[in-house]
Amino acid sequence: MLPPRALQRPTHIDNHLLKLAAVFLSLALTACTQSQTSAAPTEEPATTTQEPQSLKEKTAPQPAAAEVKSFPIDTFYTLLVAEVAGIREHYDIALANYYRQAEITKDAGVAARATRIARFLNARQAALDSAQLWVELEPQSADAQLALTVELALAGNLHRALIHAAKTLQLGGDPPMQSLAATAIGHEQLTAQAKREFARLAEDYPLNDEAVLAYAMVLRTEQKFTRALSLVHRVQERHPNQLDAPLLESHLLVDLGRRQEAIALLERLVGIHPSESPLRLQYARLLIREDLALARQQFAELVRQSPEDGNLIFSLALIQYETDQADEAKMLFTQLIELQQHESAAHFYLGGIAEKSGDFSSAVKHFRQVGPGSDYVEAITRGTELLASLGRHNSNREWFATLRKKHPSQEEHFYLMEVELLRKSGEADAALQRIEEALKINGGSGRLIYTRALLHDELGNTQQFEEDLRILLERDPNNATALNALGYKLIDDKSRHAEAYRLISRALELEPEDPAIIDSMGWIEYRLGNYAAAEKYLRQAMDKHPDHEIAAHLGEVLWVQGDREAALRIWRRGLLLNPHSKLIPAAMQRLQIKESLEQHASDH
């Protein structure tokens, strides 16, 4: 929408402002055929791994200045007021007045001025509307066609953008074809029709570098790397100092498995053009896998050249973090927070640095400032685990309560996170209390009921454990998880082995590839005396999911069958998977085995 207010005749305007505005107005209206201003939109189009030029207007060959058009006094006054508003930085008023008069007068110069103001303000809809009006009024203007091309691309209308890009080329203009291609690729708008249009424009305008390189980008998406490279080389032969071409060439060389050639090319170009950031950035990215120290140097130079570029600072900070340069990384992450760029990620990594240094309180403060995103859950997990290790359970309770209030749709998830943390901290009773609290809010949650069942089992409340699982099975008799959990528990009761077998068999029918259920079947077969069947199931479970509990079961089955060396080997493997396993020593104690696994390990 256009700004609603338009400045009416004021009671007083400074004379010097009126004179200055009149001059500006005269210049603006007599320059309707001049090139667009260079003010670029803040909303950049999507980019690919190549850094093409941004969507911007380029100067196109124009005829001599058009004849000045006379305006009614009210129109002239409204435009004069718009210029005064612009001088006073009331740009919304300037835009509203110019757009209104462009519609009234149908004058291309006024429409062009409205377009420039809208683009300067990043008023995307106003810029699009003004550019469309400008093209309607002056269809043979390359600048008008270019402005509309850019605005349509930013609005996501690639099909129409390409139509007006073609018209711009016909009129001798130079539309940002690489940016159009990058936008299409980034937003998955590269349809078959769009591909054909890029190909046609490259064929019709073989001397236009933008059109040729854009088509090379399209060919790259089709994995036609060799053909794309030939187009790039054609541009380079014609314009050796053109830098977009070698940048795209470096990507294509990597695509073709010629990574070292790409690095050598970029190293040479960075030496010739040290201030060209896109070249150095691509060079630095390729070096990350080859020479991290050199990559760090390149990113440091990029940051020196652009000291407030948050993306570059963040990249350098990550390299410093990964190479254990904690002090340098801390300084850079702190700088990001001061610049208000990548703040959440910066707090996440500062929390990690503080955690590594043993400053748990500072780590928690940083983790608490991480916002929703890829690091959010991990920050909460690590922060609450640190608080638990410090015995600050009340702080954790307050944190989780805040999270549940902040994210009501995730309330159950945060209850489960808190319960798991309490359980791991040895606070099973407190965990059970928290589950009961959650069930008062959502008593029908199967996940909460199942979690409560597991807590009852851990606390030795066998009856309550079975009751919860029965509730779940009443709701869904085909709940394989509940069937397996209850069946596995009943194995401990010899009088209920038949029932345990039925439950586990049904679970296995429902989920025949689940290693936990296969392990349960192996274990009940063992307890029923079917050793061969038990071994078969337990080996299958161990193959699917190597785990110390399965190893404990399989080792016991092997031992009772007399294959003691195999049993010891599988137990040793289980201890490697979990050195703190209590199940394997328990199995050995149950079998009255006095041999030391360490002794047997030294014998082999």
Side-chain angles (χ1 to χ4, degrees):
M1 294 291 294
L2 289 171
R5 59 195 181 110
L7 192 63
Q8 303 302 316
R9 291 173 181 258
T11 57
H12 170 73
I13 298 179
D14 291 344
N15 286 333
H16 76 280
L17 281 177
L18 279 173
K19 292 177 182 178
L20 185 59
V23 172
F24 286 166
L25 178 58
S26 176
L27 291 171
L29 297 180
T30 57
C32 64
T33 57
Q34 291 181 353
S35 63
Q36 291 278 12
T37 62
S38 60
T42 56
E43 181 187 348
E44 291 297 326
T47 57
T48 59
T49 50
Q50 182 187 6
E51 289 76 22
Q53 65 180 53
S54 61
L55 284 174
K56 60 183 179 182
E57 298 179 24
K58 295 186 174 184
T59 303
Q62 292 294 326
E67 181 181 351
V68 178
K69 181 178 179 179
S70 298
F71 292 114
I73 187 63
D74 283 348
T75 293
F76 186 83
Y77 189 82
T78 301
L79 296 176
L80 186 62
V81 167
E83 291 299 323
V84 172
I87 293 170
R88 290 179 168 176
E89 299 185 357
H90 298 309
Y91 302 118
D92 57 338
I93 297 174
L95 175 57
N97 280 13
Y98 260 105
Y99 186 77
R100 180 183 176 189
Q101 289 304 317
E103 290 187 311
I104 293 172
T105 64
K106 303 300 181 185
D107 181 82
V110 177
R113 184 72 167 163
T115 302
R116 295 178 186 126
I117 295 171
R119 298 199 69 196
F120 176 76
L121 294 176
N122 295 298
R124 295 270 70 86
Q125 188 58 51
L128 178 58
D129 293 341
S130 299
Q132 288 181 144
L133 178 59
W134 185 11
V135 166
E136 291 171 11
L137 297 171
E138 197 173 15
Q140 296 307 308
S141 167
D143 279 347
Q145 296 289 352
L146 175 58
L148 185 52
T149 298
V150 171
E151 292 306 321
L152 286 167
L154 290 172
N157 193 332
L158 178 68
H159 175 67
R160 286 190 60 206
L162 283 172
I163 292 173
H164 290 278
K167 291 180 180 178
T168 305
L169 287 165
Q170 290 170 10
L171 293 167
D174 193 11
M177 296 301 299
Q178 289 187 82
S179 289
L180 291 179
T183 301
I185 294 166
H187 288 107
E188 298 182 353
Q189 296 180 8
L190 198 57
T191 61
Q193 180 182 359
K195 291 177 181 178
R196 287 193 298 270
E197 186 64 10
F198 278 111
R200 183 186 71 79
L201 293 175
E203 183 178 352
D204 290 351
Y205 301 93
L207 299 182
N208 186 287
D209 293 349
E210 278 284 314
V212 174
L213 292 176
Y215 183 44
M217 293 170 64
V218 171
L219 289 173
R220 185 180 176 220
T221 66
E222 298 177 326
Q223 298 188 358
K224 297 177 180 178
F225 305 132
T226 302
R227 187 177 172 193
L229 193 58
S230 68
L231 292 178
V232 170
H233 287 160
R234 189 202 309 173
V235 172
Q236 290 174 308
E237 290 170 3
R238 195 165 55 243
H239 297 120
N241 295 325
Q242 210 270 17
L243 296 181
D244 286 341
L247 187 59
L248 179 53
E249 180 185 10
S250 70
H251 288 288
L252 290 166
L253 288 172
V254 172
D255 294 334
L256 289 166
R258 296 156 61 182
R259 190 180 188 86
Q260 294 305 318
E261 288 182 54
I263 291 174
L265 169 67
L266 291 166
E267 182 181 13
R268 179 175 61 81
L269 289 171
V270 166
I272 299 171
H273 306 282
S275 61
E276 288 293 330
S277 296
L279 291 173
R280 191 181 295 275
L281 179 58
Q282 172 66 354
Y283 181 44
R285 287 172 174 169
L286 291 182
L287 285 171
I288 287 176
R289 284 176 49 184
E290 308 292 331
D291 188 335
L292 203 54
L294 186 54
R296 183 168 59 239
Q297 291 178 16
Q298 298 304 317
F299 274 112
E301 176 59 22
L302 286 165
V303 169
R304 188 193 67 78
Q305 293 178 6
S306 304
E308 294 190 356
D309 188 319
N311 292 329
L312 294 175
I313 296 170
F314 185 56
S315 296
L316 179 58
L318 285 177
I319 292 176
Q320 302 285 30
Y321 182 85
E322 293 297 330
T323 55
D324 294 324
Q325 306 296 317
D327 291 340
E328 291 83 352
K330 183 177 180 180
M331 178 184 67
L332 291 166
F333 286 126
T334 302
Q335 184 180 350
L336 284 171
I337 293 171
E338 293 170 354
L339 291 171
Q340 297 183 336
Q341 298 183 55
H342 296 285
E343 292 174 86
S344 182
H347 279 298
F348 178 77
Y349 286 102
L350 285 171
I353 292 170
E355 183 180 3
K356 285 182 180 179
S357 68
D359 187 356
F360 292 171
S361 295
S362 294
V364 169
K365 289 178 182 177
H366 283 297
F367 285 140
R368 291 204 66 161
Q369 293 183 77
V370 175
S374 59
D375 300 322
Y376 195 42
V377 173
E378 186 176 351
I380 295 167
T381 301
R382 289 169 65 178
T384 52
E385 285 179 350
L386 288 175
L387 285 173
S389 70
L390 296 171
R392 294 168 56 183
H393 299 297
N394 287 336
S395 295
N396 266 341
R397 182 166 189 176
E398 177 271 327
W399 189 351
F400 279 113
T402 300
L403 289 168
R404 287 190 287 269
K405 185 176 181 181
K406 187 176 181 180
H407 307 287
S409 64
Q410 297 295 314
E411 183 177 49
E412 180 177 300
H413 174 73
F414 287 120
Y415 264 119
L416 290 170
M417 281 187 69
E418 185 178 5
V419 165
E420 177 60 17
L421 180 64
L422 288 167
R423 189 195 66 77
K424 287 169 60 178
S425 302
E427 301 288 335
D429 288 320
L432 186 59
Q433 291 176 9
R434 203 72 74 249
I435 277 290
E436 296 292 359
E437 179 182 311
L439 282 166
K440 288 178 182 177
I441 299 169
N442 185 8
S445 169
R447 287 205 303 169
L448 291 175
I449 293 171
Y450 184 72
T451 301
R452 183 174 65 180
L454 297 181
L455 284 170
H456 278 308
D457 184 42
E458 190 168 326
L459 290 167
N461 304 330
T462 303
Q463 183 178 345
Q464 292 91 329
F465 167 79
E466 184 172 345
E467 287 174 357
D468 277 337
L469 292 180
R470 294 290 184 192
I471 291 172
L472 295 177
L473 290 172
E474 284 175 10
R475 294 180 182 178
D476 179 12
N478 293 325
N479 185 328
T481 300
L483 286 166
N484 181 60
L486 181 55
Y488 185 78
K489 184 63 177 177
L490 294 181
I491 294 175
D492 293 336
D493 186 345
K494 190 173 182 179
S495 66
R496 302 181 71 178
H497 278 180
E499 184 180 1
Y501 187 84
R502 287 195 302 272
L503 291 166
I504 296 170
S505 295
R506 178 57 183 152
L508 192 60
E509 288 176 13
L510 295 166
E511 298 289 346
E513 300 299 319
D514 189 319
I517 299 175
I518 297 170
D519 171 62
S520 296
M521 180 55 72
W523 196 233
I524 185 58
E525 290 282 16
Y526 166 65
R527 298 298 291 269
L528 290 171
N530 304 321
Y531 297 159
E535 182 180 344
K536 182 193 75 170
Y537 282 118
L538 291 170
R539 285 193 182 278
Q540 183 182 349
M542 193 69 178
D543 288 341
K544 287 181 176 294
H545 179 65
D547 176 79
H548 73 107
E549 183 172 1
I550 300 173
H553 294 164
L554 178 56
E556 184 165 340
V557 171
L558 292 169
W559 185 275
V560 298
Q561 292 184 96
D563 195 347
R564 300 189 171 190
E565 288 301 321
L568 293 170
R569 282 196 301 272
I570 201 70
W571 282 330
R572 282 196 297 272
R573 184 183 175 193
L575 288 175
L576 287 174
L577 294 169
N578 185 352
H580 304 292
S581 173
K582 296 180 180 178
L583 297 174
I584 293 173
M588 295 179 70
Q589 184 177 5
R590 185 165 54 250
L591 295 169
Q592 298 181 347
I593 300 171
K594 297 182 180 180
E595 287 91 340
S596 167
L597 288 179
E598 290 76 8
Q599 176 63 40
H600 282 271
S602 64
D603 291 342
H604 291 272

